[in-house]
Amino acid sequence: MLRKRRPWLAKPIPILLILACLCGCDRRKSPENTVRLPVRAVLDSMHAALLDGEPRLQLKRYADSSLQRYAPLSAAERLLKYEYDYLHHTTHGRNDFENGNRVVDSALHLFDHVRFRETNQGAYINWMLYKGDMLVGLKRLNEAFFYYYSVRENYLEKGDTCNLSQFTHRLGNVRYMQRNYRDAIEQFRQSYAEYRTCAKTRAPRAYYDAVTEPQSLLNGIAWFYDLLGEADSAFRYYHLALDFLDEHAPRFPERARATEVAQGVIYGNLGGLYAKTGRYDEAERYLRASLTINRRPRNDNRDAQSAQIKLADLYVKQGRFDAAAQQLAECRQGLDTLHSEDFERRWRHVNWQLRDKADSPVAAYSALKHYHHYQDSLSQVNQTMMGSDFQHEFNTMEQRLAYAQLAYRNRLNSISLAISVFALILVSCIVYLVYANWQRSKRNLAHLTSLNARIQQQNEKLYGALLALHDSQQDNTRILAMVAHDLHTPIANIMMSTDYLLQDTSMLSPDQATYFEIIQKSNGKALELIGDLMRSYENDVGSANEIALHAMVQDCADLMRVRTDKKQQELVVETEPLTVTGSSERLWRVISNLIDNAIKFTPRGGRIAVYLRREADEAVIEVEDNGMGIEAGQHGFFEMGNPAGRTGTEGEPSSGLGLAIVKQIVSAHRGRIHFTSAPGKGSTFYVRLPL
């Protein structure tokens, strides 16, 4: 059930890993069916190492980290990765069906794309088979049946006896799990016959096809005869399996470890059979040989548990209770690490026999109770499995399909006749409707032509009106700018005169001095308004250059600290290095105006924060305060027609033009400005400039 590997990949792991590292520069995104050489090298080497018994978790971590440098993987590469993950969860008796099932679901999800499934049909069928295997392991036979049936139909349709052998092998495993050993023998015999037929037409070159699969079939047949109590047949097939290994395994010297593990499994089964037939010396010899093999590092420790249970049972029969207890204790440690329902049941049975024959009634009763409790729990779990017969289900499904196909054909004939009559009527109606529509279209076309001419005339008039409106707006703008400019000079002269007169107040009466001070303040406000008004009509950015925005924000905030310190306010600045293109003078005006407003409308002791950060392709300036905020009904702060602004928390004046000028400057830099506010809690203004 595992992926068949090339024998030459079993050993040269370091060479393949070096090749993977040297080819790491190829990181281009691959087509869905392409597998890059370094990715295949990593997965093949990890696959071979896993089959060779290398530490599983260490290999998994290394494979994941190695493949990370080639991301993103193509669909075909991910499929290879899932094959390795599947092997990781199911090899060497681990049988982690839950995680294995999740891996299979991920692999099958790749085949949701029709084109990928069509070009990888063989792989798709294999993963469907793996899905059935995982569901059988999870004892969900009703669900497994659907996948097995789909695979079986595909193999039968193609006449693929080689893959059909593996499928029949699986059916035999299901019958074995249901304890129907006679049917399991028939399925395994059929699978072995299919293998022999396939081997005659297509000699297997992979170790799995040439050795692992056929010898496991012979060993399985022997084991089923063993369970049925037919010792002669069991002995015959055990020795056939050993002879098969002796004949075919030497073709694969690089897989000597796997061959040794297979021999160890058969030795353990032979030892158990010799014990059943009373030939205790041969039984102990074979069982100890099995333990010697499977206790070696990276060999099949799971089968070692089976041999220990059989050896303990042998010692109980011989009255060697201390030796039996030692074997059970060592086996218990293994079971606690690699759990198996069957081995657990057999261990509890032998443990009960040991306590009973060692004259320990209390311990024997407790062991018997634990054994029956576990046996009953297994019976409840396996109850749904025992009644399922896939072969019967297959036959039933085929009969249903044949009946459904016959009924479907009859129904199709009736529907075809009805459709033909309906189609004739429909065609007649369509011909009539087409003719009527053609006549109507001729009339509508003439009417539409007339309407289009009238709409064209209206559009031309609207376009002329828009041009006139635009010219009028430009004229108004120029006139207003000229008025502001002309007002600036006389008011500036008045300002200079009042400054001169106020330099020596001895010539003025107190009332005159007061009036001149009022004139001076009024002129100052008027000059400030005129300056804002003139700047508001400067739409171009002017000379644009690279601006270190973080430095500008920090410098502007440092200059404003004099005012925040005066109002005992906290000013926090957080920036990150960002550069924009624009007018440094105008962007300075934007930042200083926003900070000035925050200071003005935040009470004494408040907090003001200025942030500069990057969001996507924009630089974001954020000015936040905990001041008086803005009422929900107030709006139009960014419009030139906005009435005079509000006064600050300590009576600071405001012209109401600041935010309108800020918006025009930000817009000229292809940016945006917006704000959020809550009355009594403060406001936050955001300026977004393109990077």
Side-chain angles (χ1 to χ4, degrees):
M1 292 187 288
L2 300 177
R3 181 173 179 250
K4 301 179 277 294
R5 311 304 297 169
R6 302 180 182 86
W8 61 272
L9 289 172
K11 291 296 180 185
I13 299 172
I15 297 175
L16 292 173
L17 292 179
I18 292 172
L19 178 62
C21 295
L22 291 176
C23 298
C25 58
D26 182 13
R27 297 171 185 248
R28 294 173 298 174
K29 186 176 181 181
S30 304
E32 59 180 8
N33 286 304
T34 298
V35 178
R36 290 167 287 180
L37 179 61
V39 174
R40 183 179 292 280
V42 169
L43 289 172
D44 282 345
S45 60
M46 294 297 98
H47 198 295
L50 189 62
L51 289 178
D52 204 31
E54 298 292 340
R56 180 183 289 104
L57 294 178
Q58 182 178 348
L59 287 174
K60 181 72 166 61
R61 287 194 295 268
Y62 185 81
D64 291 341
S65 62
S66 298
L67 292 176
Q68 194 65 34
R69 69 171 68 99
Y70 304 109
L73 299 179
S74 68
E77 291 169 341
R78 279 182 286 160
L79 196 62
L80 287 178
K81 171 66 166 53
Y82 291 143
E83 284 197 50
Y84 171 77
D85 292 341
Y86 178 81
L87 186 70
H88 169 80
H89 292 300
T90 58
T91 190
H92 294 326
R94 184 178 177 86
N95 294 336
D96 186 353
F97 299 118
E98 288 287 351
N99 284 318
N101 190 45
R102 293 191 185 96
V103 172
V104 174
D105 287 338
S106 298
L108 287 176
H109 181 65
L110 294 176
F111 296 101
D112 290 344
H113 300 284
V114 177
R115 186 176 64 177
F116 185 75
R117 183 169 67 246
E118 290 175 349
T119 54
N120 297 275
Q121 186 66 23
Y124 173 65
I125 294 300
N126 286 338
W127 281 104
M128 291 281 283
L129 203 58
Y130 296 160
K131 179 65 175 180
D133 296 341
M134 294 299 98
L135 292 173
V136 168
L138 295 170
K139 298 180 175 59
R140 292 154 58 181
L141 293 193
N142 290 335
E143 298 175 59
F145 168 74
F146 166 77
Y147 293 94
Y148 278 162
Y149 183 80
S150 300
V151 171
R152 174 177 177 268
E153 290 303 299
N154 182 274
Y155 288 160
L156 290 175
E157 181 181 348
K158 295 181 178 179
D160 189 348
T161 56
C162 298
N163 284 322
L164 194 60
S165 168
Q166 295 188 32
F167 173 75
T168 311
H169 186 174
R170 284 169 166 81
L171 290 186
N173 281 332
V174 172
R175 300 306 276 167
Y176 161 67
M177 294 172 66
Q178 295 173 324
R179 301 181 187 175
N180 191 331
Y181 306 128
R182 193 70 64 185
D183 282 358
I185 290 172
E186 294 305 316
Q187 295 289 351
F188 270 44
R189 279 178 171 172
Q190 180 181 342
S191 177
Y192 187 73
E194 291 167 345
Y195 159 76
R196 296 292 298 271
T197 301
C198 175
K200 291 177 182 178
T201 58
R202 187 175 65 193
R205 291 182 293 179
Y207 181 82
Y208 180 88
D209 294 333
V211 180
T212 302
E213 176 79 8
Q215 73 83 21
S216 66
L217 289 170
L218 294 171
N219 183 52
I221 294 171
W223 173 243
F224 301 150
Y225 276 124
D226 192 343
L227 294 173
L228 288 171
E230 300 180 17
D232 292 340
S233 297
F235 276 124
R236 175 170 171 265
Y237 275 96
Y238 280 140
H239 286 291
L240 283 175
L242 288 173
D243 293 343
F244 188 92
L245 285 173
D246 292 339
E247 180 182 355
H248 296 280
R251 291 173 48 200
F252 305 92
E254 72 280 359
R255 300 306 302 274
R257 184 191 304 277
T259 302
E260 184 183 53
V261 169
Q263 290 173 333
V265 172
I266 300 173
Y267 289 162
N269 291 339
L270 268 172
L273 184 58
Y274 278 124
K276 290 180 182 178
T277 56
R279 299 162 65 178
Y280 295 150
D281 291 340
E282 289 92 337
E284 184 172 1
R285 179 165 60 87
Y286 274 106
L287 288 172
R288 287 196 171 278
S290 176
L291 280 174
T292 300
I293 292 173
N294 289 321
R295 277 178 169 173
R296 290 172 185 165
R298 298 184 294 180
N299 280 6
D300 194 349
N301 296 324
R302 172 60 61 83
D303 193 69
Q305 298 173 2
S306 177
Q308 287 175 319
I309 295 172
K310 294 173 183 176
L311 191 58
D313 186 48
L314 174 63
Y315 289 155
V316 170
K317 292 176 181 177
Q318 294 177 322
R320 299 161 63 182
F321 301 134
D322 291 340
Q326 180 181 355
Q327 291 296 327
L328 288 177
E330 293 177 1
C331 181
R332 181 73 264 167
Q333 295 177 357
L335 282 174
D336 291 340
T337 304
L338 290 173
H339 181 70
S340 167
E341 293 179 351
D342 184 51
F343 291 172
E344 181 70 27
R345 178 187 60 80
R346 290 162 55 190
W347 186 93
R348 294 189 183 212
H349 183 268
V350 175
N351 184 52
W352 162 52
Q353 294 289 330
L354 171 63
R355 307 304 174 191
D356 183 52
K357 293 187 178 182
D359 294 328
S360 301
V362 176
Y365 174 73
S366 176
L368 176 63
K369 199 162 76 169
H370 282 86
Y371 167 69
H372 282 301
H373 176 74
Y374 192 77
Q375 179 77 3
D376 292 342
S377 66
L378 287 183
S379 298
Q380 292 177 0
V381 172
N382 295 328
Q383 186 174 5
T384 56
M385 284 186 54
M386 305 306 292
S388 298
D389 183 350
F390 276 10
Q391 190 61 50
H392 175 71
E393 292 289 344
F394 290 148
N395 295 335
T396 302
M397 179 64 76
E398 287 174 350
Q399 292 175 0
R400 290 177 180 173
L401 283 176
Y403 174 77
Q405 288 174 354
L406 181 61
Y408 181 68
R409 289 194 191 98
N410 291 334
R411 189 177 171 192
L412 278 181
N413 292 335
S414 301
I415 293 175
S416 298
L417 180 60
I419 289 176
S420 299
V421 175
F422 177 75
L424 182 60
I425 297 173
L426 186 62
V427 168
S428 301
C429 294
I430 290 174
V431 170
Y432 171 77
L433 290 175
V434 167
Y435 176 76
N437 188 60
W438 177 63
Q439 294 292 333
R440 189 180 303 110
S441 297
K442 288 175 63 179
R443 294 191 297 270
N444 290 339
L445 182 61
H447 183 63
L448 285 175
T449 303
S450 174
L451 288 177
N452 284 336
R454 292 167 59 187
I455 292 172
Q456 182 66 27
Q457 293 176 359
Q458 294 290 341
N459 287 340
E460 291 175 356
K461 292 180 180 179
L462 287 175
Y463 181 70
L466 287 175
L467 288 178
L469 183 61
H470 181 266
D471 293 341
S472 176
Q473 179 66 26
Q474 292 294 326
D475 291 341
N476 291 337
T477 300
R478 286 193 296 270
I479 292 171
L480 190 55
M482 290 171 58
V483 170
H485 182 270
D486 291 343
L487 286 174
H488 183 272
T489 301
I491 293 177
N493 291 335
I494 296 173
M495 186 71 175
M496 291 173 58
S497 299
T498 54
D499 287 342
Y500 176 77
L501 291 173
L502 288 173
Q503 288 179 0
D504 186 6
T505 58
S506 60
M507 299 175 61
L508 303 173
S509 66
D511 290 340
Q512 289 175 331
T514 300
Y515 291 145
F516 277 120
E517 288 175 358
I518 293 173
I519 292 171
Q520 185 185 42
K521 290 180 180 180
S522 299
N523 283 339
K525 291 180 181 180
L527 285 175
E528 182 180 350
L529 285 173
I530 290 171
D532 289 343
L533 194 59
M534 292 174 67
R535 285 190 294 270
S536 68
Y537 291 101
E538 297 173 359
N539 294 323
D540 59 320
V541 174
S543 59
N545 49 33
E546 296 290 329
I547 302 170
L549 196 56
H550 55 286
M552 177 180 288
V553 170
Q554 187 65 55
D555 292 343
C556 188
D558 290 341
L559 288 176
M560 290 291 184
R561 287 189 188 278
V562 176
R563 295 187 54 197
T564 57
D565 292 344
K566 186 179 295 185
K567 293 186 71 172
Q568 299 178 355
Q569 295 168 333
E570 179 187 5
L571 178 58
V572 178
V573 182
E574 294 181 10
T575 65
E576 60 180 89
L578 292 175
T579 302
V580 297
T581 302
S583 169
S584 57
E585 176 187 356
R586 298 196 177 189
L587 289 180
W588 177 281
R589 190 179 304 162
V590 169
I591 299 168
S592 62
N593 187 284
L594 293 177
I595 299 177
D596 178 72
N597 284 347
I599 296 171
K600 188 182 303 180
F601 299 111
T602 300
R604 184 176 295 273
R607 182 181 184 274
I608 298 167
V610 182
Y611 305 106
L612 173 63
R613 64 180 183 277
R614 180 186 186 124
E615 288 186 3
D617 295 330
E618 292 182 327
V620 180
I621 304 170
E622 180 179 337
V623 180
E624 177 188 86
D625 64 65
N626 60 352
M628 64 176 63
I630 299 172
E631 296 293 339
Q634 295 181 351
H635 51 79
F637 292 98
F638 299 119
E639 304 299 330
M640 291 301 296
N642 184 42
R646 304 172 297 166
T647 57
T649 56
E650 295 186 357
E652 298 96 329
S654 175
S655 66
L657 294 175
L659 289 177
I661 295 172
V662 165
K663 181 179 180 182
Q664 290 195 0
I665 294 174
V666 172
S667 298
H669 285 79
R670 295 179 292 109
R672 296 173 292 145
I673 182 171
H674 60 96
F675 71 93
T676 59
S677 183
K681 296 183 179 179
S683 305
T684 303
F685 282 81
Y686 303 90
V687 175
R688 299 178 181 272
L689 299 171
L691 292 173

